[in-house]
Amino acid sequence: MPSHPLRVAVVCSSNQNRSMEAHNILSKRGFEVRSFGTGSHVKLPGPAPDKPNVYDFKTTYEQMYNDLVRKDKELYTQNGILHMLDRNKRIKSRPERFQSCKDQFDLVITFVKYQLGIVNTSREQETFTPVHVINVDIQDNHEEATLGAFLICELCQCIQHTDDMENEMDELLQEFEDKSNRPFLHTVCFY
Amino acid sequence: FIIQVQELIINKDPSLLDNFLDEIIAFQTDKSMEVRKFVIGFIEEACKRDNELLLKLIANLNMLLKDESVNVVKKAILTLTQLYKVALQWFVRSKTMSDMQEACWDMVTQMKEEVLAMLEVDNDGVRTHAIKFTESLIITLSPRTSDSDTPKRQEGDISLDKISKDHAYIRYDTLCGEGKSALEQLLKFMVHPAISSINLTTALGSLATLARQRPMFMSEVVQAYETLHANLPPTLAKSQVSSVRKNLKLHLMAVLKHPCSLEFQGQISTLLLDLGMSQNEITRHTPAPREPRKRPRHEPYTEGKKLKIEPALIEDDEDKEEPAPPSISKPSSVPVVQSAIDLTAEFLRPLLSPENVANLVLISMVYLPDVMPASFQATYTPVESAGTDAQIKHLARMMATQMTAAGVGPDSKMTEHNGPPNSQISNMEMLIFISENLAKLKRGKPPRSRGCLSPSSPPHRSSESEAVQLSHIKANPVPCHLTILTVSFDLIFFRTPGTSGKRKVFRLADVIQPLTDTQLEKLTNMAVKQILERVRVKLLSRLVTQFEGMMKDDVLEFILEDIRTRSDLAFSLLYQEYNTYLSQQPTGLLDSYDHCLFTLLSGLQEKPEQRDGLFTKIVLEAPLITESALEVIRRYCEDESRVYLGMTTLKELIVKRPSRQFQYLHVLLDLSSHEKEKVRSNALSFIKRMYEKDQLRDYIEKFALNYMQLLVHPNPPSLLFGADKDTEVASPWTEDTVRQCLYLYLSLLPLNHRLVHELASVYTEAIADIKRSVLRVIEQPIRGMGMKSPQLLLLVENCPKGAETLVTRCLHILTDKVPPSPELVERVRDLYHKRVPDVRFLIPVINGLEKKEVTQALPKLIKLNPIVVKEVFNRLLGTQHSEGSSSMSPLTPGELLISLHNVDSTKCDMKSIIKATNLCFGEKNVYTSEVLAVVMQQLMEQSPLPILLMRTVIQSLSMYPRLGGFVMNILSRLIVKQVWKYPKVWEGFVKCCQRTKPQSYSVLLQLPPAQLTSVFERCPEMREPLLQHVHSFTPHQQAHIPASIMTVLEANSKQPEPEAMQPVVLERQVMGTKTTDGYVCH
């Protein structure tokens, strides 16, 4: 068992819903967790599907919250966005972009298949320290995000308890796959 | 804190390094793994800072590389990855080397070998690190070229091109060779059949890095990718396969982006297409072709290297490690690198004519494994571009890859023959050649190929995909007969029969010579028929079982033609078949016996009714009842005309074959919910009898409960509709389907009262429709249980939440015909008082309650819906039971009516009370004039007077006019009681007098003057007749009338005041409205 808590990165597209939900739960369970988005911008649902609210990664959750309250408090309360932002700002101040992060992790978890590729190619290798990247497809809505967060939390707890994470990962993932009935794509990258 | 120390020593003050080095290094044997890992990190940092330290620390690192903790080993590998470069750079720079340095380099080299060997260790993570080390090693030990795509951070890293060829100790060509052998090891590692998914992913990534940083290796990399794609390890799980494929795609795209991928674009795009990428996407990622002059110009040694590696890959002809003369400069039209695979593929391509391919497919079929491996099934996609030139090319390459991997290839042979192959080798020769090679491939791994369920070895898998591809190519332009063969191939392939490959070939042979077969068959058939005519029973049955085919059917048909006289033969045959089965144990198949029994039984079943019981006899005497035979028995039972016989047989089976009795019982139980009434009722009565047997009891009970449990589903499960009727799942419950679930249960219920609780729990969960149906069907069984049943009493006592209506219904059923028992009443009372204060519970047992309780409940009862109230009164008045058990009622009719009058008007509205009394008046048989008289008498004696008193009086009077005298008596006595003090009653009093005039005159005259005035105010028209009435009295009588009264009588007539009349009229109108409200009279 690693003596330090697992360093986990959870990655979704806008660092709002899925990754933050997981961030929230994982940090409560004592993991050293960071969350990221991979998109070029932070996108939040707007009044219509083709009119999202777009922010850059420098905007704080607080600012987004105030912006949306100003735009249409009713709508964003009702669809849960404000609630989500409120939760987020209590976790950290602003969304982070995975591509700009220089820290190392033990485990990176993504929620969309194509992010595997982004994570894979986001950094040049230097030290050759491996980082395991696991993808679990989770839809981008509140319910799925919660379910996904618990699933991931369970997975992390299991991994934390392995004697030799790299050696047991394959088997563990197979188990989880059977249990949760979702495919877990697993790959490895190097720092 | 130790991290701070490191920071301090290395970065802040290098001079400290020397002083503290030993102290830090001493920690390398520390117990904590983390500390040891730190020491490694320290070594790395220290050596990077001061290369001299390498000499000393490398030995420490070597020790740590053999540490027992895998995590430490991993860290050591990582550090060695870095330090290898550092060391090399340092030594290269220092031109001349001391002994120490030489020893150090030797050690580094030795450690490098050790790490390479770690590719074979058991631990997945260590292998991953070893792969990355290998990658870095290959990069370092090969020259960087102009088209190398080197990451910025590694710009300064050492590589082979920076090493001068005349270095004293470090030999350029040795390193070059080491680099190549590392690459070989990596490639070898990748084709390991049991490689883990993560190692594979890592290796794929490493290859991509290699291809981009050292484009000279691109050919090997692309080949390795091709090989891998065709030979995905069979040990991978489904999601792992998709992970690997995804990675492969990713890395291929990365490679494709590199300008040097130009020569391999065709192969890479084919692979990407296979991996599910669209042509558009591929084109988007393809770099624009460069000008020919810009074509990569490899350094001379590169060319030499290529030439050297090729033969190495083909066969084991190890050349000297010497660069070839740099004379070859290839024209741009020819691919710079033509590997063994390319050669073989080129060679194969023209030979892949449809005929050859077809033959190849047929031959390779022999070597297919018995069972399709999972990995093949998962990755197999129909070939879209079948038959196109590109596809044939691809196929040729795939085959070539296989052949080269197996170490065979035409090129080696060709070189021996020393001539161009195409013209000399005929098609047929080629074919044999290929098939031989294929055969070689298969035989390479004999133990896995047969009877073993584990995934077959990679060569098998690939041969399958080849075969499939081959068949696809063929599909388009082939002549007719070949297509047929393909089809037969496809059939055999996809059905994967349980026989071995060789058997299949035999069958094909059979098809080729059909004539002899049919002849043979004909002959034997004729012989059998001859024997049949003589009916040699024993001989025949023996004989027939020996042969396959038609004869058996003939014999069976013969038996069935006249089964009564030929039953001997039937039994003989049956036993013979069973005997054959037994003699072939343990591998024998029951098929033949099963067929025989099935044919006999279904023959009998389909024939018209026979009374000889032969069906039963065969069933009971058959040594074994097979599944299909049981099915026939079931059908027999479903036949309405034979239900009884069939079920008797089934019962016998259940009783006499205990080993499989549950299987038979199950059939019977299934029939208990049959749609045909007769079948069902028979089955139920049989089951009831079985239920008495202890060993069957549980099973039956469980079945019944399971069936009933189906009711909790929102829709009826398809199970209820039988396998043949595959109705839509979402059909709603119907009365019929609900009943179906309950038949068995309800017939068991009277036998085992304990089951009733299960019903209650199902009931609470079921939807409303089902609840209604359940309430309808339980009447019979509940009545059968009777109110003495302790279980039923227990149910009432516990009354689960949600089952209140069920319990009420049970109570009603129980008390419908007979009065409630004290036990039942007790339970209900408890329930009502302690748990569910719903007055409706009391209704069924109302006659068992105390008088007081009924009176208390009355206000609530009469507020219920009129039908229910009616029911309550029926019970109370005994008007419902024909036996007339009214004596059981806690209240006499009179008491009931009186209690109604005494209902507290704050607890119940007047309207309900009036309605309730009306119900009483409706029962003329019960409420006779005598009863009513008693009621009135008693009411009148109450104080205060009940509000409805006068209403009841008027009502009674209109029902029984002969009560007039009695009523007058009542009225007089009311005067004594100063009735005018009760406004409502007084109102009624006046009204009553008005209705009963002239009888009431004498009563009116008894009123005091003030009250009489009040009467006249209400009904002024009364005054005149009353006055006349008085005038008609004898003078003596008149004298008895007090003067004050007379004044009242006469007063108004003298001064009729129109103004005074007005309010009176108004008041009458008001009273009129009140009349409709409270004083409805018939």
Side-chain angles (χ1 to χ4, degrees), chain B residues 597-657:
Chain B
L597 181 60
F598 176 77
T599 317
L600 284 174
L601 290 180
S602 42
L604 279 170
Q605 190 241 328
E606 279 152 20
K607 287 196 174 206
E609 177 69 273
Q610 290 174 346
R611 296 209 154 88
D612 47 18
L614 203 57
F615 185 86
T616 313
K617 198 173 171 209
I618 293 184
V619 170
L620 294 181
E621 290 182 18
L624 189 77
I625 299 294
T626 58
E627 289 288 333
S628 51
L630 197 56
E631 200 43 50
V632 182
I633 299 173
R634 187 198 168 99
R635 260 188 278 143
Y636 199 85
C637 291
E638 284 171 355
D639 181 345
E640 272 166 299
S641 59
R642 296 171 179 181
V643 178
Y644 191 78
L645 193 61
M647 291 202 182
T648 317
T649 312
L650 200 51
K651 188 199 86 185
E652 288 292 301
L653 269 183
I654 296 170
V655 177
K656 292 184 176 160
R657 304 263 173 102

XYZ file of all heavy atoms in Angstrom, chain B residues 597-657:
494
model
N -37.931 -42.749 -27.633
C -38.983 -42.556 -26.641
C -39.934 -41.447 -27.078
O -41.162 -41.585 -27.013
C -38.353 -42.196 -25.285
C -39.315 -41.985 -24.118
C -40.106 -43.251 -23.863
C -38.555 -41.577 -22.878
N -39.352 -40.396 -27.567
C -40.145 -39.255 -27.989
C -41.096 -39.638 -29.122
O -42.284 -39.322 -29.090
C -39.209 -38.129 -28.451
C -39.918 -36.932 -29.002
C -40.520 -36.025 -28.152
C -40.016 -36.740 -30.371
C -41.179 -34.927 -28.652
C -40.690 -35.645 -30.876
C -41.275 -34.743 -30.019
N -40.567 -40.359 -30.092
C -41.409 -40.744 -31.224
C -42.555 -41.632 -30.756
O -43.707 -41.463 -31.172
C -40.562 -41.496 -32.261
O -39.325 -40.812 -32.418
C -41.288 -41.576 -33.590
N -42.238 -42.575 -29.898
C -43.281 -43.477 -29.405
C -44.369 -42.694 -28.669
O -45.561 -42.838 -28.954
C -42.677 -44.511 -28.456
C -41.894 -45.645 -29.117
C -41.239 -46.509 -28.060
C -42.802 -46.488 -30.002
N -43.960 -41.887 -27.756
C -44.926 -41.166 -26.929
C -45.739 -40.178 -27.747
O -46.962 -40.115 -27.630
C -44.215 -40.427 -25.789
C -43.640 -41.307 -24.702
C -42.966 -40.472 -23.636
C -44.726 -42.170 -24.075
N -45.055 -39.419 -28.611
C -45.845 -38.448 -29.364
C -46.731 -39.155 -30.365
O -47.824 -38.671 -30.678
C -44.961 -37.388 -30.022
O -43.829 -37.960 -30.574
N -46.276 -40.316 -30.848
C -47.147 -41.118 -31.715
C -48.425 -41.470 -30.990
O -49.532 -41.313 -31.510
N -48.263 -41.933 -29.764
C -49.438 -42.305 -28.965
C -50.293 -41.095 -28.644
O -51.520 -41.158 -28.651
C -48.980 -42.955 -27.659
C -48.604 -44.425 -27.758
C -47.938 -44.857 -26.475
C -49.830 -45.267 -28.040
N -49.616 -40.002 -28.386
C -50.346 -38.806 -27.984
C -51.189 -38.279 -29.128
O -52.277 -37.758 -28.909
C -49.343 -37.738 -27.530
C -49.977 -36.529 -26.873
C -49.693 -35.258 -27.643
O -48.653 -35.125 -28.261
N -50.635 -34.353 -27.616
N -50.658 -38.411 -30.333
C -51.386 -37.865 -31.463
C -52.523 -38.782 -31.896
O -53.434 -38.372 -32.613
C -50.421 -37.621 -32.632
C -49.664 -36.314 -32.465
C -48.308 -36.325 -33.149
O -48.105 -37.171 -34.046
O -47.452 -35.501 -32.760
N -52.463 -40.046 -31.526
C -53.529 -40.970 -31.938
C -54.792 -40.720 -31.135
O -54.748 -40.192 -30.039
C -53.055 -42.407 -31.693
C -52.030 -42.811 -32.697
C -51.854 -44.305 -32.712
C -50.922 -44.627 -33.857
N -51.100 -45.941 -34.373
N -55.922 -41.129 -31.699
C -57.166 -40.964 -30.949
C -57.158 -41.807 -29.671
O -56.328 -42.705 -29.501
C -58.231 -41.422 -31.931
C -57.512 -42.232 -32.949
C -56.138 -41.698 -33.029
N -58.079 -41.502 -28.843
C -58.189 -42.114 -27.517
C -58.045 -43.641 -27.546
O -58.629 -44.332 -28.367
C -59.559 -41.722 -26.946
C -59.882 -42.327 -25.615
C -58.997 -41.750 -24.525
O -57.899 -42.281 -24.336
O -59.426 -40.795 -23.877
N -57.236 -44.110 -26.630
C -57.114 -45.560 -26.483
C -57.238 -45.884 -25.010
O -56.731 -45.165 -24.179
C -55.749 -46.009 -27.001
C -55.667 -45.870 -28.494
C -54.284 -46.180 -29.013
O -53.330 -46.258 -28.262
N -54.206 -46.372 -30.303
N -57.873 -46.952 -24.742
C -58.152 -47.226 -23.333
C -57.183 -48.209 -22.713
O -57.374 -48.630 -21.589
C -59.571 -47.807 -23.210
C -60.565 -46.784 -23.655
C -61.874 -46.942 -22.980
N -62.478 -45.645 -22.988
C -63.243 -45.113 -23.925
N -63.536 -45.686 -24.767
N -63.732 -43.933 -23.965
N -56.176 -48.576 -23.486
C -55.316 -49.638 -22.966
C -54.234 -49.120 -22.035
O -53.472 -49.899 -21.487
C -54.669 -50.396 -24.128
C -54.109 -49.431 -25.142
O -53.917 -48.254 -24.777
O -53.856 -49.821 -26.283
N -54.173 -47.801 -21.885
C -53.180 -47.273 -20.946
C -51.754 -47.521 -21.390
O -50.840 -47.560 -20.578
N -51.573 -47.674 -22.696
C -50.231 -47.958 -23.179
C -49.290 -46.774 -22.949
O -48.112 -46.947 -22.645
C -50.296 -48.288 -24.676
C -49.122 -49.108 -25.191
C -48.987 -50.401 -24.421
C -49.293 -49.388 -26.675
N -49.851 -45.604 -23.073
C -49.052 -44.395 -22.845
C -48.473 -44.416 -21.431
O -47.277 -44.287 -21.217
C -49.948 -43.156 -23.039
C -49.209 -41.858 -22.948
C -48.577 -41.324 -24.053
C -49.154 -41.156 -21.743
C -47.898 -40.113 -23.966
C -48.471 -39.963 -21.657
C -47.842 -39.435 -22.766
N -49.363 -44.627 -20.478
C -48.934 -44.695 -19.086
C -47.879 -45.786 -18.905
O -46.873 -45.605 -18.220
C -50.136 -45.011 -18.191
O -51.200 -44.168 -18.578
C -49.813 -44.793 -16.735
N -48.146 -46.907 -19.554
C -47.248 -48.040 -19.387
C -45.843 -47.683 -19.877
O -44.845 -47.948 -19.194
C -47.796 -49.230 -20.183
C -47.214 -50.543 -19.749
C -47.896 -51.706 -20.433
C -47.131 -52.971 -20.125
N -47.245 -53.968 -21.190
N -45.786 -47.078 -21.061
C -44.465 -46.729 -21.597
C -43.778 -45.710 -20.699
O -42.601 -45.843 -20.361
C -44.587 -46.179 -23.035
C -45.044 -47.287 -23.958
C -43.257 -45.609 -23.505
C -45.102 -46.914 -25.407
N -44.540 -44.725 -20.290
C -43.935 -43.696 -19.443
C -43.370 -44.307 -18.173
O -42.241 -44.030 -17.766
C -44.960 -42.603 -19.083
C -44.412 -41.675 -18.013
C -45.319 -41.804 -20.319
N -44.182 -45.170 -17.557
C -43.762 -45.699 -16.269
C -42.672 -46.747 -16.392
O -41.907 -46.969 -15.470
C -44.959 -46.268 -15.513
C -45.993 -45.212 -15.115
C -47.131 -45.839 -14.357
C -45.355 -44.114 -14.292
N -42.622 -47.405 -17.535
C -41.624 -48.462 -17.664
C -40.371 -48.019 -18.388
O -39.393 -48.747 -18.446
C -42.247 -49.674 -18.352
C -43.266 -50.349 -17.434
C -43.888 -51.586 -18.039
O -43.316 -52.122 -19.004
O -44.933 -52.003 -17.545
N -40.410 -46.823 -18.962
C -39.200 -46.325 -19.620
C -38.113 -46.155 -18.578
O -38.374 -45.676 -17.477
C -39.483 -44.987 -20.292
N -36.901 -46.561 -18.918
C -35.834 -46.470 -17.920
C -35.504 -45.021 -17.536
O -34.995 -44.768 -16.468
C -34.638 -47.134 -18.599
C -34.980 -47.208 -20.039
C -36.454 -47.191 -20.163
N -35.804 -44.132 -18.425
C -35.425 -42.741 -18.156
C -36.394 -41.843 -18.915
O -36.710 -42.100 -20.065
C -33.994 -42.507 -18.674
C -33.353 -41.188 -18.290
C -32.887 -41.249 -16.852
C -32.171 -40.908 -19.195
N -36.865 -40.819 -18.242
C -37.736 -39.862 -18.935
C -36.888 -38.671 -19.354
O -36.327 -37.980 -18.515
C -38.873 -39.380 -18.007
C -39.738 -40.547 -17.565
C -39.732 -38.328 -18.716
C -40.508 -41.213 -18.668
N -36.789 -38.466 -20.638
C -35.970 -37.343 -21.114
C -36.809 -36.078 -21.153
O -38.034 -36.128 -21.013
C -35.435 -37.636 -22.522
O -36.552 -37.870 -23.368
C -34.531 -38.836 -22.521
N -36.119 -34.990 -21.373
C -36.806 -33.693 -21.432
C -37.925 -33.700 -22.456
O -39.042 -33.285 -22.184
C -35.808 -32.587 -21.836
C -34.803 -32.228 -20.779
C -35.424 -31.450 -19.632
O -36.438 -30.768 -19.868
O -34.911 -31.552 -18.502
N -37.603 -34.157 -23.652
C -38.602 -34.085 -24.708
C -39.760 -35.031 -24.402
O -40.914 -34.745 -24.737
C -37.975 -34.393 -26.059
O -37.254 -35.588 -25.984
N -39.461 -36.161 -23.756
C -40.538 -37.074 -23.385
C -41.463 -36.394 -22.379
O -42.696 -36.499 -22.471
C -39.960 -38.347 -22.777
N -40.877 -35.686 -21.481
C -41.660 -34.973 -20.480
C -42.558 -33.938 -21.157
O -43.697 -33.718 -20.756
C -40.713 -34.281 -19.496
C -41.317 -33.836 -18.162
C -41.947 -35.006 -17.456
C -40.246 -33.210 -17.295
N -42.023 -33.371 -22.188
C -42.797 -32.400 -22.956
C -44.031 -33.070 -23.566
O -45.123 -32.502 -23.578
C -41.885 -31.804 -24.045
C -42.323 -30.492 -24.632
C -42.816 -29.498 -23.600
O -42.117 -29.269 -22.579
O -43.925 -28.968 -23.811
N -43.849 -34.281 -24.061
C -44.989 -35.012 -24.634
C -46.012 -35.311 -23.544
O -47.230 -35.156 -23.744
C -44.534 -36.335 -25.282
C -45.720 -37.053 -25.907
C -43.479 -36.070 -26.327
N -45.533 -35.705 -22.378
C -46.454 -35.989 -21.275
C -47.246 -34.743 -20.935
O -48.452 -34.777 -20.710
C -45.669 -36.473 -20.029
C -44.918 -37.750 -20.361
C -46.607 -36.682 -18.853
C -43.980 -38.215 -19.280
N -46.564 -33.653 -20.955
C -47.228 -32.390 -20.671
C -48.339 -32.124 -21.676
O -49.456 -31.761 -21.325
C -46.183 -31.268 -20.734
C -46.712 -29.932 -20.294
C -45.820 -28.813 -20.780
N -46.515 -27.559 -20.590
C -46.308 -26.744 -19.554
N -45.428 -27.053 -18.651
N -47.007 -25.639 -19.431
N -47.995 -32.323 -22.938
C -49.003 -32.102 -23.979
C -50.194 -33.047 -23.768
O -51.338 -32.687 -23.981
C -48.378 -32.349 -25.351
C -47.982 -31.041 -26.036
C -47.546 -31.295 -27.452
N -46.164 -31.740 -27.520
C -45.695 -32.645 -28.376
N -46.515 -33.224 -29.248
N -44.430 -32.995 -28.363
N -49.870 -34.251 -23.375
C -50.904 -35.248 -23.120
C -51.847 -34.723 -22.029
O -53.062 -34.843 -22.136
C -50.222 -36.541 -22.674
C -51.088 -37.780 -22.793
C -51.155 -38.469 -23.999
C -51.795 -38.267 -21.704
C -51.923 -39.612 -24.115
C -52.568 -39.408 -21.814
C -52.633 -40.086 -23.019
O -53.390 -41.204 -23.131
N -51.269 -34.165 -21.015
C -52.069 -33.638 -19.909
C -52.914 -32.448 -20.336
O -53.956 -32.165 -19.765
C -51.172 -33.200 -18.750
S -50.376 -34.545 -17.921
N -52.419 -31.722 -21.322
C -53.145 -30.537 -21.749
C -54.338 -30.891 -22.624
O -55.167 -30.031 -22.924
C -52.202 -29.596 -22.524
C -51.263 -28.851 -21.611
C -50.194 -28.089 -22.371
O -50.133 -28.226 -23.613
O -49.416 -27.371 -21.720
N -54.368 -32.136 -23.056
C -55.470 -32.587 -23.895
C -56.674 -32.853 -22.991
O -56.657 -33.748 -22.146
C -55.026 -33.871 -24.618
C -56.122 -34.377 -25.532
O -57.273 -33.923 -25.383
O -55.810 -35.221 -26.379
N -57.728 -32.065 -23.180
C -58.828 -32.112 -22.233
C -59.449 -33.503 -22.067
O -59.924 -33.868 -21.000
C -59.907 -31.101 -22.653
C -59.637 -29.730 -22.072
C -60.472 -28.657 -22.724
O -60.314 -28.472 -23.951
O -61.256 -28.009 -22.014
N -59.419 -34.248 -23.160
C -60.059 -35.555 -23.055
C -59.194 -36.547 -22.283
O -59.642 -37.618 -21.911
C -60.352 -36.076 -24.463
O -59.144 -36.161 -25.176
N -57.935 -36.200 -22.063
C -57.044 -37.174 -21.412
C -56.427 -36.638 -20.140
O -55.486 -37.224 -19.605
C -55.923 -37.549 -22.370
C -56.418 -38.238 -23.605
C -55.276 -38.339 -24.550
N -55.681 -39.015 -25.769
C -54.857 -39.251 -26.769
N -53.614 -38.895 -26.679
N -55.293 -39.858 -27.840
N -56.923 -35.504 -19.720
C -56.313 -34.855 -18.573
C -56.105 -35.838 -17.427
O -55.002 -35.980 -16.899
C -57.194 -33.706 -18.063
C -56.576 -33.082 -16.841
C -57.367 -32.670 -19.123
N -57.165 -36.525 -17.104
C -57.101 -37.350 -15.903
C -56.051 -38.442 -16.036
O -55.211 -38.631 -15.160
C -58.474 -37.960 -15.610
C -58.509 -38.593 -14.243
C -58.638 -37.791 -13.091
C -58.346 -39.961 -14.086
C -58.621 -38.347 -11.840
C -58.336 -40.537 -12.833
C -58.481 -39.721 -11.705
O -58.454 -40.270 -10.468
N -56.102 -39.111 -17.178
C -55.142 -40.185 -17.410
C -53.714 -39.632 -17.387
O -52.817 -40.185 -16.744
C -55.435 -40.835 -18.762
C -54.722 -42.157 -19.005
C -55.133 -43.190 -17.964
C -55.021 -42.663 -20.407
N -53.547 -38.519 -18.081
C -52.213 -37.919 -18.165
C -51.696 -37.552 -16.798
O -50.552 -37.851 -16.458
N -52.548 -36.965 -16.015
C -52.075 -36.509 -14.707
C -51.877 -37.660 -13.745
O -51.007 -37.601 -12.875
C -53.049 -35.493 -14.134
C -52.982 -34.228 -14.954
S -53.569 -32.829 -14.083
C -53.427 -31.575 -15.315
N -52.675 -38.679 -13.905
C -52.439 -39.867 -13.084
C -51.055 -40.415 -13.382
O -50.293 -40.766 -12.473
C -53.497 -40.943 -13.388
O -54.755 -40.311 -13.476
C -53.521 -42.001 -12.316
N -50.747 -40.456 -14.664
C -49.416 -40.921 -15.058
C -48.332 -40.049 -14.443
O -47.357 -40.543 -13.874
C -49.287 -40.858 -16.593
O -50.432 -41.458 -17.169
C -48.047 -41.573 -17.051
N -48.557 -38.762 -14.560
C -47.586 -37.809 -14.014
C -47.442 -38.004 -12.513
O -46.345 -38.001 -11.958
C -48.056 -36.384 -14.327
C -47.036 -35.262 -14.280
C -45.816 -35.603 -15.113
C -47.658 -33.984 -14.807
N -48.560 -38.224 -11.861
C -48.541 -38.424 -10.409
C -47.735 -39.667 -10.072
O -46.912 -39.673 -9.150
C -49.975 -38.562 -9.902
C -50.067 -38.575 -8.395
C -51.365 -39.161 -7.899
C -51.241 -40.663 -7.801
N -52.471 -41.339 -7.445
N -47.985 -40.720 -10.853
C -47.240 -41.954 -10.633
C -45.739 -41.689 -10.757
O -44.948 -42.179 -9.961
C -47.662 -43.000 -11.669
C -49.063 -43.548 -11.427
C -49.109 -44.391 -10.163
O -48.354 -45.381 -10.096
O -49.871 -44.041 -9.237
N -45.400 -40.931 -11.787
C -43.989 -40.600 -11.997
C -43.419 -39.891 -10.771
O -42.338 -40.200 -10.303
C -43.835 -39.676 -13.200
C -43.619 -40.291 -14.562
C -43.413 -39.196 -15.588
C -42.404 -41.206 -14.560
N -44.178 -38.937 -10.299
C -43.702 -38.150 -9.168
C -43.489 -39.037 -7.954
O -42.500 -38.939 -7.231
C -44.691 -37.018 -8.829
C -44.773 -36.050 -10.003
C -44.289 -36.285 -7.568
C -45.881 -35.040 -9.890
N -44.429 -39.948 -7.766
C -44.351 -40.794 -6.585
C -43.278 -41.869 -6.734
O -42.546 -42.162 -5.804
C -45.726 -41.434 -6.317
C -45.653 -42.370 -5.132
C -46.746 -40.350 -6.075
N -43.191 -42.416 -7.942
C -42.343 -43.593 -8.097
C -40.927 -43.299 -8.561
O -40.084 -44.187 -8.599
C -43.009 -44.569 -9.064
C -44.277 -45.151 -8.453
C -44.908 -46.184 -9.317
C -46.110 -46.786 -8.592
N -47.029 -47.425 -9.505
N -40.692 -42.080 -9.012
C -39.314 -41.745 -9.425
C -38.806 -40.607 -8.560
O -38.715 -39.456 -9.004
C -39.282 -41.295 -10.888
C -39.862 -42.269 -11.870
C -38.737 -43.102 -12.486
N -39.267 -44.149 -13.320
C -39.303 -44.101 -14.650
N -38.837 -43.050 -15.256
N -39.786 -45.097 -15.336
